[in-house]
Amino acid sequence: MRVYGVTGWKNSGKTTLVERLVGEITGRGLTVSTVKHAHHATDIDQPGRDSHRHRQAGARQVLLATPHRWALMEELRGAPEPPLEDLLTRLSPVDLVLVEGYKSAAHPKIEAHRAATGRGLLAPDNPTIRAVASDAPVETALPRFDLDDIAGIADFILSEVHP
């Protein structure tokens, strides 16, 4: 599977960019999956639900299945967070996996940047960043896209993963 990342500081537009890229790239007939990394504790399950009760009781894995989707939740129970490479092996094959976050992982990335964050670019210190998508002019030797140029960003990513 081809893997490409979207990284950037908090509130830089990463999630919106990934969402828009998924729509653009799937609209071109390709299959896309995503991986979202969160640094904070988050829960896709809800207290009081049966699946939550299973996890609370000590289940290592809980698979929740409905007529519309299924989700597999795995409790680490003190084990270290698995590396991205291990998590990617759990995905079904697709044309492209877009990864949000994982700033220091080895896969190629585009940096989402918003001037309003008041933060500088990650790109100068991160050789895995291949381009910058920003809502304002930025100094960079890398290819630069307007954050709203979704077709152009998609073209760039697809040219990177399908040379």
Side-chain angles (χ1 to χ4, degrees):
M1 284 190 294
R2 309 287 185 178
V3 177
Y4 211 90
V6 174
T7 194
W9 297 111
K10 182 178 180 177
N11 297 321
S12 62
K14 298 181 300 290
T15 299
T16 300
L17 180 55
V18 169
E19 176 186 12
R20 293 176 74 191
L21 285 169
V22 169
E24 175 71 24
I25 295 169
T26 59
R28 296 180 186 194
L30 299 172
T31 56
V32 177
S33 289
T34 64
V35 175
K36 162 71 174 147
H37 188 254
H39 291 284
H40 55 281
T42 186
D43 204 338
I44 62 170
D45 207 3
Q46 300 299 316
R49 298 286 188 196
D50 293 349
S51 54
H52 187 268
R53 292 172 59 193
H54 295 181
R55 289 189 311 119
Q56 293 301 103
R60 173 84 189 254
Q61 290 185 316
V62 175
L63 194 147
L64 176 62
T66 74
H68 302 285
R69 70 191 53 86
W70 65 270
L72 177 62
M73 295 168 279
E74 183 164 336
E75 292 297 316
L76 295 177
R77 306 251 182 248
E81 179 181 352
L84 175 61
E85 295 76 25
D86 291 354
L87 296 173
L88 290 171
T89 66
R90 295 175 177 252
L91 295 176
S92 298
V94 292
D95 296 315
L96 177 65
V97 177
L98 289 173
V99 176
E100 181 179 338
Y102 288 98
K103 289 180 185 83
S104 59
H107 61 278
K109 301 167 193 70
I110 188 163
E111 179 176 353
H113 179 266
R114 286 195 189 280
T117 65
R119 307 287 303 256
L121 292 176
L122 295 166
D125 298 319
N126 187 332
T128 65
I129 295 175
R130 306 277 175 87
V132 175
S134 181
D135 64 351
V138 292
E139 285 191 39
T140 181
L142 297 173
R144 187 207 166 270
F145 298 90
D146 185 279
L147 203 47
D148 288 323
D149 182 9
I150 303 305
I153 296 167
D155 288 342
F156 177 80
I157 290 172
L158 293 174
S159 74
E160 288 264 293
V161 299
H162 293 106

